[in-house]
């Protein structure tokens, strides 16, 4: 941990890294791009961005990041996945490509591209009362859907028809959509709170 304020990493192998960095800047939170095990070791929490989960999966293996990531997640590091990041954090995928692996951590089953292709992307306002009293501006871009949740998983947000798009299990947060693209700070702010709590419990 850097000084007294938490340092948040953004996994920078592929995806919308810059948008997450801008949200963390807006929240005044220290952050660093993470590409190596040494960089991962320095951070108090990690964001896994949206992008393409099959590519992020391959790059975590090529860059020797898969096992260090799994170890930190298992040790309780707070981690926040948006879209492809949610896919990477899911224990089960209903439509993985033949050699696709996830890091796991969330006891959920996720379906990739559940809403169709890029042209079926949409924006909506979600309600996530555990996260914020305000509506959350959410962009869904080739988004995944959480199809099943285990008993220890808390649902933080659904679409109006009840389909699950945001979950939390302990220090792991996964959402189907991109608040960083809509510039909505609420979920990042909530995640920063998880990181601060984890840091202060270590130092208590
Ligand atoms: N469909 C992409 C995947 O499978 C996720 C899209 C996104 O992150 N916006 O990884």
């Amino acid at each position: 941990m850097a000084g007294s304020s938490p340092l948040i990493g953004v996994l920078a192998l592929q995806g919308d890294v810059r948008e997450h960095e801008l949200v963390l800047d807006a929240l005044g939170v220290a952050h660093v791009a993470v590409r190596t095990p040494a960089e991962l070791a320095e951070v108090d929490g990690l964001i896994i961005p949206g992008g393409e989960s099959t590519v992020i999966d391959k790059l975590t293996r090529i860059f020797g990041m898969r096992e260090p990531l799994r170890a930190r997640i298992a040790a309780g590091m707070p981690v926040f996945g948006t879209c492809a990041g949610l896919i990477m954090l899911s224990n089960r995928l209903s439509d993985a490509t033949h050699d696709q692996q996830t890091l796991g951590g969330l006891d959920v089953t996720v379906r990739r591209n559940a809403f169709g292709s890029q042209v079926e992307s949409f924006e909506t306002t979600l309600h996530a009362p555990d996260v914020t009293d305000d509506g959350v501006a959410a962009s869904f871009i080739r988004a995944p859907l959480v199809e099943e949740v285990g008993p220890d998983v808390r649902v933080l947000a659904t679409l109006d028809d009840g389909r699950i798009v945001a979950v939390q299990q302990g220090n792991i947060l996964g959402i189907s959509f991109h608040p960083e693209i809509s510039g909505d700070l609420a979920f990042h702010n909530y995640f920063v709170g998880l990181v601060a709590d984890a840091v202060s419990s270590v130092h208590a």
Side-chain angles (χ1 to χ4, degrees):
M1 164 170 180
S4 57
S5 85
L7 178 64
I8 298 203
V10 182
L11 187 66
L13 300 175
Q14 191 264 342
D16 69 330
V17 175
R18 184 75 192 124
E19 287 76 4
H20 284 284
E21 291 173 338
L22 290 172
V23 171
L24 294 171
D25 282 342
L27 289 171
V29 178
H31 59 84
V32 64
V34 168
R35 293 187 187 84
T36 66
E39 288 164 348
L40 178 64
E42 293 300 312
V43 301
D44 300 303
L46 184 74
I47 293 176
I48 304 182
E52 175 50 50
S53 58
T54 53
V55 176
I56 297 175
D57 165 39
K58 287 201 177 87
L59 293 175
T60 58
R61 291 189 257 164
I62 290 168
F63 283 82
M65 288 294 279
R66 178 175 169 77
E67 291 314 321
L69 283 165
R70 283 169 58 84
R72 290 272 339 247
I73 294 168
M77 174 183 69
V79 51
F80 175 26
T82 65
C83 204
L86 161 66
I87 295 169
M88 290 302 300
L89 292 170
S90 303
N91 286 356
R92 295 170 298 279
L93 301 181
S94 34
D95 58 348
T97 61
H98 77 282
D99 63 345
Q100 181 171 10
Q101 296 179 352
T102 68
L103 299 167
L106 285 172
D107 183 14
V108 299
T109 305
V110 161
R111 177 173 296 279
R112 301 172 56 227
N113 304 318
F115 299 90
S117 64
Q118 188 84 22
V119 288
E120 279 140 315
S121 298
F122 61 99
E123 286 193 18
T124 190
T125 302
L126 295 172
H127 299 284
D130 291 343
V131 173
T132 173
D133 292 336
D134 300 324
V136 177
S139 303
F140 288 78
I141 303 169
R142 292 186 303 119
L145 197 58
V146 180
E147 292 190 321
E148 287 170 0
V149 298
D152 297 330
V153 176
R154 189 150 62 111
V155 173
L156 295 178
T158 65
L159 295 172
D160 287 344
D161 61 11
R163 288 183 291 174
I164 298 167
V165 293
V167 291
Q168 178 176 359
Q169 183 174 4
N171 276 341
I172 309 179
L173 196 58
I175 66 177
S176 299
F177 51 92
H178 293 277
E180 74 282 4
I181 287 178
S182 350
D184 193 302
L185 308 184
F187 268 87
H188 289 72
N189 194 39
Y190 182 73
F191 178 64
V192 170
L194 291 183
V195 178
D197 287 349
V199 167
S200 61
S201 72
V202 167
H203 292 263

